[in-house]
Amino acid sequence: MSPHSRYAEFYRRSIEAPEDFWAEQAKLIDWHAQPTRILDDAKPPFVNWFVGGKTNLCHNAVDRHLPTRGDSPALIHVSTETGTERTYTFSQLHEEVQRTAASLLALGVGKGDRVLIYMPMIPQAAFAMLACARIGAIHCVVFGGFASGALASRIEDAAPKVVVSADAGSRGGKVVAYKPLLDEAIRVSSHKPEAVLLSDRGLAPMELVAGRDHLDSEVAARLSSADVPCEWLDATDISYTIYTSGTTGRPKGVQRDTGGYAVALAASMKHIFDGRAGETYFSTSDIGWVVGHSYIVYGPLIAGMATLMYEGLPTQGMNREPDGGIWWRLVEKYKVTVMFSAPTAVRVLKKQDPALLKKYDLSSLRALFLAGEPLDEPTARWISDGLGVPIIDNYWQTESGWPIITLANAVERKPSKFGSPGVPMYGFKVKILDESTGEELTAPNEKGVVVIEGPTPPGFMQTVWKDDARFVNTYWKSVPGRMVYSTFDWGIRDEDGYFYILGRTDDVINVAGHRLGTREIEECISGHAGVAEVAVVGVADALKGQVAMAFAVPKDSQALSDPARALTLEGEVMQRVNDELGAVARPARVRFVSALPKTRSGKLLRRAIQAVCEQRDPGDLTTMDDPASLQQIRQVVQG
Ligand code: ATP
Ligand code: MG
């Protein structure tokens, strides 16, 4: 990064004069009372932003737009599962959110109480989140695709006064009844919520527990008034908790503040996403993930944009017919300017007819942002060629709330480099450290752990819910002799200051004394034209310590049934790794499977694959998407 560039200057100010910088950004939102102190970091690693300030996320997302754009679209809901499509204006959203807020109040919810939201992607889910923010209740959204085990442990941890849920979700046309899963989760949890507020979509029958369960329509009908003003909260009051994906272990309850988060999102909409009031933002994520919190619900609305909330598969039309062009149809119809998705979704689309990308008028689209896992170069190139707009990888975590490393193209346009998410975002002091000595690595292309030096910027997690010790011990004490936040990801920085994420620190394998990142091997293998997807894990080996094992999904499914084909492909893949990375990195075997085990957020579950290879118990699989894929790995390994 040239030290004289506009972004470099912007970044430098955020690091050297954080109080001035963030006081400036704080003007992007409405305050009921101005902060008296911008930054309080007297007790590191804890940070308080905008101390003394009073604000409200719901006010900033909804109410403040009423005078200027009350009749403009705010929430556009499209479900290809139920074939429904509906737009709420800011005024209508305001009305709905107030009604839900009044219902929660009627059920006894007060400031600081937890409300657990276990919902499909329906407008009522967004109403419930905004309603909590409005009255100062803490929402804990649990991904609607989770079954009762994962839900029960989260109910236990969050101890909600009320649960908001629905009769059912639907995935690929298959109805999944939520209510029995919720009942079972409450039964096994030692914490019992006082009330359950239910939306009835008419998809599955519900048995109501007398005295506990309430239909939202009935509660709303009994309200004497549905006028609920925003509760002015301290900037440091908790807005929500959300659990990490659980890719590497027991999920952590990430706790977030109110004022810092609002400012961070408003600033990111301006500088990173370049989303402007009156336009439409389309994030294909789910409200169960942090991306859904930041960029389906709060971010776009705070910016005065309409947000498109989508229920359904990326390959399904309005009548549930196969349609690999549905997202592009929506981009055209709603004139989406900013789109946000994940590499895993793009890989699904890559299997569709590329002509679908040319069928619609996508001229409104300015950029596609992708996050959540490494964006491999072939996938980035495919979508970039197809859309003809900048493809912007962004690296972040549930913990950070917004991108840590990406490009702030609205501050200064920089070229994307495929394979790199970009440069550190303003406010984030990102460093690369030697994991064993804690020494900072400053030369280009030296590999180390990616860490963040405090004070962390606004929007970053405050702590682990109810567990300050876990926050400090897990995140801030992993590098010897230095109190820095570890991302637990490996990375390098090139001579231009662009970072490359090389995988998770616990995905490193040690082959005969050589430390190798599984991501590098995966990147190399996915460059083979015959490979659609690949996972590499380290497996214990008596001689070498560990060896790499690769599991690949072939593009040609014949490699699954024809051993001769499989052997040829395996040989080619091995040769490729040999040539590009060297013999040490060459996997012991490359096995072919039809699907890889993933979390419901689409991330590879390497730890589960590794456990199966080593004949260990794969542990907590409650957040896993498709258990049959792990079974297949077991068979391949044993056969
Ligand atoms: P857990 O912490 O519970 O194991 P998780 O880390 O998968 O789960 P998230 O917070 O959803 O939970 O994911 C953040 C992680 O995802 C990052 O630490 C990184 O490993 C990966 N990641 C996210 N975005 C990118 C990206 N653009 N490039 C590479 N990796 C990414
Ligand atoms: Mg993590």
Side-chain angles (χ1 to χ4, degrees):
M1 185 169 24
S2 147
H4 307 296
S5 75
R6 235 165 91 188
Y7 182 72
E9 173 56 21
F10 190 75
Y11 178 78
R12 194 186 56 74
R13 231 165 53 78
S14 78
I15 300 300
E16 289 174 6
E19 304 210 44
D20 290 353
F21 181 90
W22 287 106
E24 181 74 30
Q25 304 305 320
K27 294 181 189 151
L28 294 169
I29 68 159
D30 271 9
W31 293 91
H32 180 67
Q34 289 296 325
T36 49
R37 196 163 163 202
I38 301 299
L39 165 65
D40 161 20
D41 61 343
K43 289 200 199 80
F46 300 94
V47 185
N48 292 312
W49 283 102
F50 308 116
V51 180
K54 284 193 179 292
T55 186
N56 183 289
L57 273 168
C58 184
H59 168 83
N60 278 286
V62 183
D63 300 46
R64 76 158 164 162
H65 303 302
L66 295 174
T68 47
R69 52 186 73 255
D71 296 330
S72 307
L75 179 69
I76 301 163
H77 179 258
V78 176
S79 171
T80 54
E81 297 291 340
T82 53
T84 48
E85 202 161 344
R86 172 158 183 198
T87 296
Y88 297 83
T89 63
F90 277 98
S91 301
Q92 290 165 330
L93 179 62
H94 182 238
E95 211 169 285
E96 296 286 354
V97 169
Q98 289 200 88
R99 189 168 13 250
T100 308
S103 302
L104 291 174
L105 290 172
L107 294 175
V109 175
K111 185 180 170 221
D113 285 337
R114 271 81 57 215
V115 173
L116 187 138
I117 299 173
Y118 176 60
M119 286 284 247
M121 285 287 284
I122 55 175
Q124 286 73 17
F127 302 159
M129 291 168 72
L130 291 161
C132 287
R134 193 168 189 86
I135 62 177
I138 298 169
H139 63 65
C140 318
V141 182
V142 175
F143 175 57
F146 284 158
S148 53
L151 180 56
S153 63
R154 287 158 176 77
I155 291 177
E156 194 94 42
D157 193 66
K161 188 163 214 175
V162 169
V163 174
V164 179
S165 191
D167 58 336
S170 176
R171 196 181 186 212
K174 224 179 95 207
V175 169
V176 183
Y178 280 14
K179 184 62 173 35
L181 298 175
L182 175 61
D183 287 342
E184 173 61 11
I186 294 176
R187 192 185 66 76
V188 301
S189 165
S190 66
H191 173 84
K192 311 290 179 198
E194 283 172 24
V196 176
L197 184 64
L198 293 153
S199 284
D200 188 358
R201 312 176 70 187
L203 293 180
M206 281 195 283
E207 266 177 48
L208 301 189
V209 174
R212 186 196 75 183
D213 296 353
H214 309 269
L215 289 176
D216 57 5
S217 52
E218 288 176 4
V219 177
R222 286 197 301 268
L223 294 171
S224 52
S225 155
D227 285 339
V228 180
C230 286
E231 173 94 22
W232 297 112
L233 303 175
D234 285 335
T236 52
D237 279 341
I238 308 171
S239 59
Y240 67 78
T241 68
I242 180 173
Y243 295 87
T244 58
S245 303
T247 310
T248 51
R250 185 164 64 94
K252 302 163 280 273
V254 166
Q255 175 185 316
R256 197 133 16 243
D257 72 356
T258 297
Y261 186 51
V263 171
L265 292 182
S268 72
M269 291 303 298
K270 178 172 176 196
H271 306 302
I272 301 174
F273 295 100
D274 191 14
R276 306 167 199 168
E279 299 179 346
T280 306
Y281 194 105
F282 179 17
S283 163
T284 69
S285 184
D286 188 285
I287 50 141
W289 314 127
V290 67
V291 175
H293 284 59
S294 295
Y295 299 112
I296 292 177
V297 179
Y298 293 113
L301 293 175
I302 287 174
M305 298 180 80
T307 181
L308 201 161
M309 183 176 185
Y310 178 77
E311 180 188 48
L313 303 178
T315 51
Q316 173 172 276
M318 284 311 273
N319 302 310
R320 273 180 272 158
E321 76 284 12
D323 180 0
I326 180 71
W327 285 357
W328 313 125
R329 190 174 80 71
L330 294 174
V331 168
E332 176 184 275
K333 176 163 179 188
Y334 293 105
K335 300 199 170 46
V336 171
T337 56
V338 188
M339 190 166 168
F340 193 138
S341 192
T344 185
V346 177
R347 283 186 210 113
V348 168
L349 295 174
K350 215 167 127 187
K351 294 178 191 151
Q352 309 289 314
D353 182 358
L356 289 168
L357 286 167
K358 303 279 174 236
K359 196 169 150 192
Y360 299 96
D361 176 7
L362 306 181
S363 57
S364 59
L365 196 63
R366 280 199 296 270
L368 171 66
F369 293 83
L370 297 171
E373 35 161 0
L375 174 63
D376 57 283
E377 206 178 314
T379 302
R381 205 166 286 286
W382 178 83
I383 192 72
S384 173
D385 290 347
L387 292 179
V389 299
I391 305 301
I392 304 174
D393 185 4
N394 52 130
Y395 165 80
W396 48 302
Q397 304 184 309
T398 309
E399 291 87 342
S400 68
W402 57 285
I404 301 168
I405 299 176
T406 187
L407 298 175
N409 275 349
V411 179
E412 181 188 25
R413 183 76 179 260
K414 277 175 176 295
S416 296
K417 290 195 191 186
F418 290 144
S420 163
V423 301
M425 282 301 97
Y426 48 91
F428 284 105
K429 280 188 240 178
V430 187
K431 307 246 150 109
I432 294 183
L433 302 187
D434 179 300
E435 57 150 0
S436 45
T437 64
E439 200 187 317
E440 188 175 346
L441 304 175
T442 47
N445 303 319
E446 280 191 290
K447 177 174 159 186
V449 195
V450 178
V451 304
I452 301 166
E453 231 170 53
T456 47
F460 201 86
M461 74 188 291
Q462 290 180 300
T463 184
V464 171
W465 167 248
K466 285 192 309 200
D467 203 345
D468 285 350
R470 191 175 179 203
F471 175 61
V472 176
N473 294 328
T474 305
Y475 293 108
W476 294 87
K477 290 201 168 162
S478 74
V479 180
R482 297 189 61 154
M483 184 141 84
V484 287
Y485 171 91
S486 177
T487 62
F488 298 103
D489 289 310
W490 296 109
I492 55 169
R493 180 181 30 218
D494 72 8
E495 43 296 313
D496 300 326
Y498 280 63
F499 281 67
Y500 292 76
I501 302 297
L502 304 176
R504 294 162 189 260
T505 52
D506 58 356
D507 287 337
V508 153
I509 60 177
N510 197 329
V511 181
H514 301 277
R515 297 172 61 69
L516 305 164
T518 50
R519 159 96 202 270
E520 289 165 274
I521 308 177
E522 285 168 3
E523 182 91 9
C524 171
I525 295 177
S526 68
H528 187 290
V531 172
E533 231 182 326
V534 61
V536 171
V537 298
V539 178
D541 180 87
L543 205 61
K544 296 181 175 169
Q546 274 184 316
V547 291
M549 282 286 272
F551 294 90
V553 178
K555 279 202 184 130
D556 169 12
S557 61
Q558 288 232 302
L560 294 172
S561 51
D562 179 349
R565 261 184 206 236
L567 214 58
T568 311
L569 189 54
E570 178 174 23
E572 286 174 19
V573 167
M574 297 260 210
Q575 191 59 46
R576 189 180 166 90
V577 178
N578 205 54
D579 295 347
E580 284 191 8
L581 300 176
V584 273
R586 197 174 55 207
R589 291 295 313 257
V590 183
R591 310 279 202 170
F592 297 101
V593 289
S594 61
L596 294 170
K598 292 187 180 168
T599 62
R600 284 305 300 272
S601 50
K603 294 167 189 242
L604 274 176
L605 269 169
R606 294 189 192 80
R607 74 177 156 86
I609 304 177
Q610 184 186 43
V612 163
C613 290
E614 296 181 344
Q615 286 163 22
R616 286 183 287 111
D617 173 13
D620 179 17
L621 294 179
T622 48
T623 61
M624 186 169 164
D625 190 22
D626 166 25
S629 59
L630 199 59
Q631 190 53 34
Q632 198 188 354
I633 295 219
R634 192 172 282 125
Q635 280 162 3
V636 175
V637 170
Q638 288 168 358

